[in-house]
Amino acid sequence: MEPVIQRVRHNVLWSLHRIGRRNHSGYAERVVSTTSTWSRKAPLRVSRLYQPSNLRDMGPDSRMQGELTCKSQRLMQRAGLIHPSNPGCYYYLPATVRSMEKLVRVIDQEMQQIGGQKLDMPSLCAADLWKASERWDLMGKELFRLKDRHGSSYCLGSTHEEAVSTLVAHQTTLSYKQLPLLLYQITRKFRDEPKPRFGLLRGREFYMKDMYSFDVSEEAAYETYESVCQAYMRIFARLGLRCVQVQADTGNIGGKLSHEFQLPADIGEDRLVLCGTCSFSANVETIVPDRTECPQCKTGTLTESKGIEVGHTFYLGKKYSEIFNATISNAQDETSVAEMGCYGLGVTRILAAAIEVMSTDENIRWPGLLAPYQVCVIPPKKGSKQAGAADVAEELVHEIGQSLPHLRGEVVLDDRTQMTIGKRLKDASRLGYPYAIVVGQGALEDTPRFEVICQQTNETLFFSRDELFSLLGKVEIV
């Protein structure tokens, strides 16, 4: 045994000596090696991305075929972006998570620009809070309810007015100097939908941004309400989505004022009326049935359309702050009950709604900011006459990362060279990469040229290297 122990000890000491050996600059050789490889990181390869082919089986014999109720659901499942778990619940695959994280960054930027502060509240909400607001019974079967081992009742949060009011009330009294206070979170929500359908458009478990505002007066609360509505419209404008802000019912949330943010779409479940003369728009629930004359300008004619609700805002007044004693101290050191608002955005619903309104029947089209990856580089098929361009394709991916740092992590190499370029282009179009670059025979010429397919415009263009980099340099990343 002794020789074996000595041999192991010798090997360990020799390994430590090699790791610790320094070069002339004073750094360990292993550190130098890591640093040198970092500057030329291996490209992202399509063959390594987790989008299992068996999740894409949406053929006529698929057991899932009968459940595909809208375009966005069909396209997302076929592309391996989502996979059904149980009714109204889905696995979000890595590409979808990338898109969702980008959308969250857009939302964060706009919410923080108007003073929003991000927090995270428990999904498990005590029944006592909901009973205090009388919503425990009012919400009916929509709440997922459960009891812990001690017999205490809870629900899985579908919204957090009670929770945030209690949180602010624990501060005892807010100072007017802290106002307007806007607290928001982006988290999972739960609603026991009786008939979940349309994929991510109507589910039981989903991601939502919910913000809650606290103000010292009704006038200040209306100003805050308007600032949030404007921020919502900026979000949709940045995404390139046509959104309509419509007058809406306050429903189970309650309050004095409410607006929905709707993306016009035939698949939409909401009926909207729009005036062709002025800016008036409303959910049909809020107007007299069969009314055709605009109630605002009195001269315009109301026309009906359908929409997908992607956001909802409410001016709550003192509905919750009074119940939970969320108070504010004004400049005269007088205490009053806070004026509140609440503001929701359906994060996963926006993703699906965007695909619904922007995509073709066969191919996904993302808002540019939300595409999981911006560029797909496609080298020649293995064994073809252009096979020598494969090295050029890999070098191109590296050069894009080096010359255009904002695109690092946004470029993938479709290394499935056993497939034809045509088949890989078809996949790229289905997945919705904004730019697909084919590296073929033209890339081997003295003045290399690249075929670029712009998915958003359905154009095919041929660029020199400089022209290509100029185009990609203009791509906006969030």
Side-chain angles (χ1 to χ4, degrees), residues 231-422:
Y232 276 19
M233 295 305 289
R234 286 197 300 271
I235 288 171
F236 294 113
R238 288 179 64 182
L239 298 179
L241 296 171
R242 179 184 169 231
C243 183
V244 182
Q245 180 180 340
V246 304
Q247 175 182 300
D249 186 20
T250 57
N252 290 332
I253 302 292
K256 303 177 180 180
L257 178 68
S258 173
H259 286 90
E260 293 169 350
F261 293 77
Q262 297 272 357
L263 299 188
D266 291 338
I267 196 68
E269 296 183 277
D270 290 301
R271 293 168 56 210
L272 318 174
V273 288
L274 310 174
C275 176
T277 303
C278 70
S279 60
F280 178 81
S281 56
N283 191 305
V284 294
E285 298 173 343
T286 67
I287 65 167
V288 176
D290 301 320
R291 179 169 186 167
T292 58
E293 180 191 275
C294 176
Q296 181 170 286
C297 70
K298 308 299 183 183
T299 58
T301 301
L302 298 177
T303 57
E304 188 171 314
S305 64
K306 292 182 178 181
I308 302 170
E309 181 190 335
V310 288
H312 208 149
T313 57
F314 301 83
Y315 170 49
L316 300 173
K318 298 177 180 178
K319 175 178 171 64
Y320 296 93
S321 52
E322 201 157 46
I323 294 171
F324 298 103
N325 199 33
T327 58
I328 289 171
S329 175
N330 64 21
Q332 290 74 42
D333 204 27
E334 299 168 336
T335 300
S336 61
V337 175
E339 295 280 344
M340 287 181 62
C342 71
Y343 318 89
L345 275 179
V347 177
T348 41
R349 185 179 286 189
I350 289 172
L351 286 183
I355 290 174
E356 191 71 41
V357 301
M358 297 183 72
S359 301
T360 69
D361 286 337
E362 294 299 322
N363 302 316
I364 289 176
R365 296 291 179 266
W366 297 93
L369 288 179
L370 304 188
Y373 299 97
Q374 293 291 331
V375 181
C376 180
V377 176
I378 303 176
K381 182 181 180 181
K382 187 176 182 180
S384 68
K385 293 180 180 180
Q386 298 84 28
D391 291 340
V392 178
E394 189 150 344
E395 183 63 26
L396 179 64
V397 174
H398 171 68
E399 287 182 8
I400 293 172
Q402 286 292 97
S403 302
L404 304 172
H406 71 293
L407 289 180
R408 287 177 187 167
E410 293 289 337
V411 184
V412 297
L413 178 71
D414 194 338
D415 61 330
R416 299 171 301 165
T417 53
Q418 75 278 8
M419 297 168 58
T420 65
I421 287 178

Side-chain angles (χ1 to χ4, degrees), residues 431-476:
L431 290 166
Y433 299 102
Y435 300 97
I437 303 172
V438 176
V439 182
Q441 186 62 41
L444 297 175
E445 296 174 359
D446 293 338
T447 303
R449 298 192 70 78
F450 303 91
E451 181 181 352
V452 181
I453 295 87
C454 304
Q455 305 282 12
Q456 306 288 14
T457 60
N458 203 29
E459 292 180 294
T460 298
L461 305 168
F462 292 87
F463 287 135
S464 67
R465 188 181 299 270
D466 289 344
E467 290 169 336
L468 174 61
F469 277 67
S470 177
L471 172 72
L472 297 181
K474 298 172 185 175
V475 175
E476 186 180 355

